[in-house]
Amino acid sequence: MNQPERYTITAALPYTNGSIHIGHLAGVYVPADIYARYLRLTGNDVLFVCGSDEHGVPITIKAKSEGVSPQDIVDKYHAIIKASFEDFGITFDNYSRTSAKIHHKTASEFFTTLNDKGEFIEETTEQLFDEEANQFLADRFVIGTCPKCGNEESYGDQCENCGTSHNATDLINPKSAITGNVPTLKQTKHWFLPLDKHEDFLKEWILKGHKKDWKPNVYGQVKSWIDDGLRPRAVTRDLDWGIPVPAEGGEGKVLYVWFDAPIGYISSTKEWAAREGKDWEPYWKDENTKLVHFIGKDNIVFHCIIFPAMLKAEGSYILPENVPANEFLNLEGNKLSTSKNWAVWLTEYLQDFPNQQDVLRYVLTANAPETKDNDFTWKDFQARNNNELVAIFGNFINRVVVLTNKYYNGVVPAPNELSPIDNETLATVKAYPDVIASSIERYRFREAGQELMNLARLGNKYLADEEPWKIIKVDEERTKTIMYVALQIASALATLSEPFLPFTSNKLKGILNLSSSDSTAENRIENTWNEVSTKDVLLPANHEIGKAELLFSKIEDDTIQKQLDKLVASKKANEIANATVEPQKDSITFEDFTKLDIRVGTILEAEKMPKTKKLLKLKVDTGIDVRTIVSGIAESFTAEEVVGKRVTVLVNLAPRALRGVESQGMILMTETPDGKLVFVNPDDSKVSNGLQIS
Ligand SMILES: [Zn+2]
């Protein structure tokens, strides 16, 4: 494609069954936002849309487990997610949701068009059914062994281990996620998109057409999919949460969430156009529009095969020019997991690091999982903040602003003749817009971010080499020239940092009295991205700048340790939650049970047994008598703590000697997975000593 007339940029619709974390930001939203901001800065017509994905099985499962309605779940998380995006400066032109009326209408019409054109196959097939729950089991409602990689925890629609997408009936040993039962097969009618029919088109369009410009990880996954052979894919589900199937026989069925979700990009565009008084169609139907989908690798098949097949079948839409999917970000060596709380949540990050959104944006870009899975570590976060943002970028700006205020009361000095070093430095600065742009346009955001930092390095080195703080003592005129050059570099940084560090860029523009998105003052100066290359003067002599403000601050070890401690706590909580339950013992008769004489008692006295770690010697009132019981609870309780405690005692256990003391019974305890003992006792004040438990 030659220079496009406009760009439609989409970012994967986040699924509204939880908040968002650094993995989402690194994989999709930060790179998409850098791309959108850069294109706007270079004067392009850009539409950047997203929205909440609010249908599908996991939301109904979450609602069930919390005892609320699916609508309650999506309302809650839609609000949280939307606020997080705003907090981190993600500049969507529109953030919609798939429960919106306009989306239901758009998706319904899309389905009807395909149905009327005969693009679907209607088929009655046998689907997994849970008799007890009286429900068909698709997608996440069923768990079983992945037919491709053998992962025993694969979902019905997709294996999270190998990324394979399949039908629930493909699973080996399927089990209902609702009841745990082995499902039966029951007949039901569904609409299928015959992907096999689109195989030739997909081969031509992607395998031939995008061999060179798509990322190897994306191209490779798509190729392996197509090489495996494409099969018809159901686009409807037996479910009551979603968009009703608008066709005869569609009662009780909804559109498959993966059919309706990508249409959400289109409905979000329509919502934006209606609000802005624009025409939505060119953004989706004009061949001079460049459509780019930003997604994570788990969505590749849907955005590179299924959605394009849908668009092609519909007939009036353009296809994506690129789908720069990222791999996954890990956290401290382990896979990010919402359910295991192994994540850095954006809401928590902002509480712990207020006003430091750019630090996270920067680190996630520097470490982006662009070509392979990558690891976020708090040590690296600290190092990049302290050694790059503070020591290079922040330090350079601070020295320039402080010295300009100190020497010239904040007024940009007029330069004298430029030295060869000055000229070379300014020429290098002029090259940066193209250098950074070239990386961004090839979706190499890590590289782009590092080039931005290289520009700050250039400034830092220039000051360190020219030493204006020394020269001022011997040559005031030369100092003016040095400071003038340094101020030009600072201005270039203010403009070029915007896509990456938008909050910092705004702050820096404020300090330099440059025009920013929210500035109104008349004496401000506007520098566009391209003007950093073309203008000879970015900040003219006699222009007045403001006072120095710190752009970044050092992050100390104890701050990082707190984050690491948080993760250790999560890990421990997971171990507890995942502790295995002992299997049930062999059956006993009622008679066997009645042999046990269990009574309510009270501990009257307690003392630690000398030379033992675990044992307490207790005097217990059993209602029958007061007797001595030796109990192995000293690691969980002190003697003082248990005196007066109501307990449950097995009183007819044959007495036995423990360290020379005869123990006449046993106190019933349970143990938490982290090894803490807990008394098992009837919790009611009317229960008195000696009462039998049966
Ligand atoms: Zn698998």
Side-chain angles (χ1 to χ4, degrees):
M1 174 179 280
N2 298 323
Q3 180 60 30
E5 273 177 36
R6 67 188 74 69
Y7 289 83
T8 301
I9 304 167
T10 73
L13 306 186
Y15 200 62
T16 29
N17 67 340
S19 306
I20 50 173
H21 55 59
I22 54 169
H24 301 117
L25 216 51
V28 178
Y29 305 103
V30 166
D33 187 60
I34 292 173
Y35 190 66
R37 282 176 180 268
Y38 154 74
L39 288 171
R40 289 192 199 105
L41 273 174
T42 45
N44 291 285
D45 180 357
V46 175
L47 176 70
F48 182 23
V49 289
C50 190
S52 298
D53 177 4
E54 306 190 327
H55 296 135
V57 169
I59 282 162
T60 65
I61 291 181
K62 178 131 188 151
K64 238 173 221 169
S65 78
E66 293 188 10
V68 298
S69 73
Q71 192 63 48
D72 291 334
I73 295 287
V74 301
D75 285 349
K76 175 181 163 186
Y77 289 110
H78 171 74
I80 293 174
I81 293 170
K82 189 167 189 267
S84 282
F85 285 139
E86 283 164 11
D87 286 341
F88 279 82
I90 308 297
T91 52
F92 297 129
D93 293 296
N94 195 47
Y95 189 78
S96 188
R97 52 195 304 191
T98 59
S99 63
K101 260 191 194 152
I102 192 161
H103 176 68
H104 275 237
K105 185 165 182 280
T106 305
S108 251
E109 285 171 0
F110 202 106
F111 179 92
T112 302
T113 304
L114 294 196
N115 202 24
D116 290 350
K117 287 180 81 176
E119 292 286 347
F120 293 132
I121 310 167
E122 285 172 47
E123 226 176 296
T124 298
T125 59
E126 293 200 306
Q127 295 284 319
L128 301 176
F129 188 78
D130 185 328
E131 301 281 354
E132 191 185 331
N134 192 29
Q135 191 171 340
F136 280 100
L137 302 174
D139 310 332
R140 309 265 144 153
F141 276 136
V142 52
I143 293 167
T145 302
C146 168
K148 190 160 185 192
C149 76
N151 168 25
E152 290 176 8
E153 304 267 288
S154 176
Y155 292 115
D157 54 346
Q158 190 171 26
C159 171
E160 290 199 330
N161 187 50
C162 67
T164 303
S165 177
H166 43 232
N167 291 318
T169 44
D170 296 338
L171 291 178
I172 303 158
N173 297 324
K175 272 202 184 108
S176 165
I178 309 167
T179 61
N181 294 343
V182 175
T184 55
L185 286 168
K186 197 174 165 177
Q187 290 205 330
T188 179
K189 181 174 110 165
H190 281 291
W191 284 256
F192 289 74
L193 183 67
L195 291 176
D196 43 333
K197 203 185 120 184
H198 300 284
E199 208 171 296
D200 289 342
F201 143 68
L202 290 165
K203 274 183 183 165
E204 188 70 25
W205 172 57
I206 304 179
L207 299 189
K208 277 195 188 160
H210 287 297
K211 190 167 187 166
K212 292 206 174 102
D213 60 336
W214 282 22
K215 292 169 66 169
N217 58 325
V218 178
Y219 185 88
Q221 217 192 92
V222 173
K223 184 169 186 314
S224 115
W225 259 81
I226 294 176
D227 289 350
D228 278 357
L230 299 174
R231 291 185 300 156
R233 181 94 186 192
V235 298
T236 53
R237 289 288 188 266
D238 292 286
L239 197 68
D240 54 8
W241 177 245
I243 298 169
V245 172
E248 209 186 303
E251 300 78 28
K253 299 174 199 292
V254 297
L255 301 182
Y256 176 34
V257 63
W258 258 110
F259 182 83
D260 94 68
I263 298 172
Y265 301 137
I266 302 168
S267 23
S268 189
T269 304
K270 287 185 178 177
E271 195 175 79
W272 164 82
R275 191 182 62 229
E276 303 288 327
K278 301 219 178 182
D279 183 5
W280 71 273
E281 285 193 281
Y283 290 88
W284 281 94
K285 298 189 171 181
D286 185 323
E287 57 180 23
N288 292 314
T289 297
K290 181 165 174 174
L291 173 63
V292 181
H293 298 309
F294 282 85
I295 55 166
K297 72 169 163 189
D298 49 337
N299 286 342
I300 289 175
V301 60
F302 298 104
H303 284 81
C304 299
I305 292 181
I306 300 176
F307 189 43
M310 287 161 57
L311 294 170
K312 185 81 170 43
E314 203 278 349
S316 66
Y317 285 87
I318 53 168
L319 298 170
E321 276 295 310
N322 213 318
V323 185
N326 270 340
E327 301 286 295
F328 288 147
L329 184 73
N330 294 320
L331 170 59
E332 301 285 352
N334 291 302
K335 199 174 165 187
L336 279 156
S337 165
T338 298
S339 56
K340 290 178 182 162
N341 192 27
W342 190 256
V344 177
W345 302 100
L346 299 193
T347 44
E348 288 185 19
Y349 174 88
L350 264 192
Q351 283 164 13
D352 295 346
F353 297 92
N355 298 319
Q356 294 176 67
Q357 292 94 324
D358 278 351
V359 179
L360 191 59
R361 284 180 68 119
Y362 177 75
V363 174
L364 294 179
T365 302
N367 226 343
E370 283 178 2
T371 52
K372 58 177 178 57
D373 288 357
N374 232 339
D375 202 23
F376 175 94
T377 69
W378 280 109
K379 288 281 176 208
D380 176 65
F381 171 85
Q382 181 189 26
R384 289 200 186 270
N385 178 75
N386 293 356
N387 304 338
E388 295 173 23
L389 293 174
V390 174
I392 300 170
F393 196 116
N395 182 48
F396 169 65
I397 297 297
N398 195 52
R399 287 203 286 188
V400 172
V401 176
V402 165
L403 294 181
T404 304
N405 275 286
K406 189 173 166 190
Y407 300 158
Y408 315 112
N409 283 324
V411 176
V412 178
N416 294 290
E417 199 182 334
L418 299 178
S419 74
I421 296 274
D422 299 340
N423 279 321
E424 193 188 311
T425 302
L426 290 174
T428 309
V429 171
K430 283 185 171 185
Y432 268 97
D434 279 351
V435 168
I436 298 173
S438 155
S439 297
I440 292 178
E441 283 176 10
R442 287 176 295 137
Y443 311 102
R444 296 183 181 179
F445 301 100
R446 291 173 74 131
E447 194 179 270
Q450 286 313 301
E451 289 297 350
L452 176 75
M453 193 49 71
N454 285 339
L455 175 58
R457 277 193 183 96
L458 175 77
N460 234 7
K461 183 174 186 306
Y462 177 78
L463 277 190
D465 290 348
E466 299 302 314
E467 299 181 302
W469 46 87
K470 278 191 185 162
I471 301 295
I472 187 119
K473 291 167 195 158
V474 294
D475 188 345
E476 287 197 9
E477 289 306 310
R478 173 62 193 153
T479 308
K480 285 180 186 168
T481 310
I482 296 169
M483 290 311 300
Y484 170 85
V485 171
L487 281 159
Q488 306 310 310
I489 305 173
S491 308
L493 274 174
T495 299
L496 302 185
S497 63
E498 199 210 294
F500 307 90
L501 309 168
F503 299 91
T504 306
S505 166
N506 248 359
K507 202 167 168 183
L508 180 51
K509 284 172 186 167
I511 295 171
L512 297 178
N513 209 3
L514 283 166
S515 185
S516 67
S517 44
D518 55 356
S519 69
T520 49
E522 277 178 14
N523 60 342
R524 292 184 180 222
I525 291 159
E526 175 102 36
N527 291 321
T528 66
W529 185 278
N530 296 329
E531 280 169 346
V532 174
S533 286
T534 56
K535 270 189 181 176
D536 278 331
V537 179
L538 297 174
L539 210 58
N542 297 322
H543 173 81
E544 196 172 339
I545 67 166
K547 296 274 180 269
E549 280 176 67
L550 278 190
L551 296 179
F552 304 102
S553 47
K554 199 172 168 217
I555 294 172
E556 302 294 342
D557 289 347
D558 60 342
T559 306
I560 292 303
Q561 193 54 47
K562 271 183 204 148
Q563 296 301 327
L564 292 170
D565 291 347
K566 235 186 194 179
L567 288 174
V568 169
S570 279
K571 196 164 244 181
K572 199 146 200 191
N574 276 325
E575 279 162 11
I576 292 168
N578 294 335
T580 48
V581 173
E582 291 290 322
Q584 182 175 311
K585 292 176 184 172
D586 292 341
S587 298
I588 58 165
T589 62
F590 181 68
E591 244 175 27
D592 288 337
F593 174 72
T594 55
K595 285 179 188 163
L596 302 173
D597 190 344
I598 306 172
R599 307 279 178 129
V600 175
T602 301
I603 298 174
L604 302 178
E605 293 170 28
E607 63 177 287
K608 183 102 192 286
M609 296 267 287
K611 292 179 187 166
T612 69
K613 260 164 74 179
K614 287 187 175 175
L615 301 180
L616 285 185
K617 183 175 151 191
L618 310 171
K619 277 253 156 40
V620 181
D621 181 350
T622 63
I624 307 166
D625 52 22
V626 173
R627 62 175 77 183
T628 299
I629 295 176
V630 177
S631 187
I633 58 175
E635 284 181 324
S636 295
F637 302 97
T638 63
E640 295 76 42
E641 268 179 305
V642 301
V643 172
K645 194 102 193 151
R646 179 59 60 80
V647 292
T648 307
V649 193
L650 175 62
V651 292
N652 64 338
L653 182 68
R656 57 180 184 145
L658 286 165
R659 299 284 173 118
V661 178
E662 193 183 71
S663 180
Q664 299 160 320
M666 189 172 81
I667 293 178
L668 304 192
M669 310 292 295
T670 186
E671 187 180 350
T672 64
D674 58 344
K676 170 103 170 86
L677 294 174
V678 177
F679 287 100
V680 177
N681 52 357
D683 182 20
D684 192 316
S685 59
K686 290 187 213 107
V687 175
S688 57
N689 291 346
L691 285 181
Q692 270 192 313
I693 292 170
S694 57

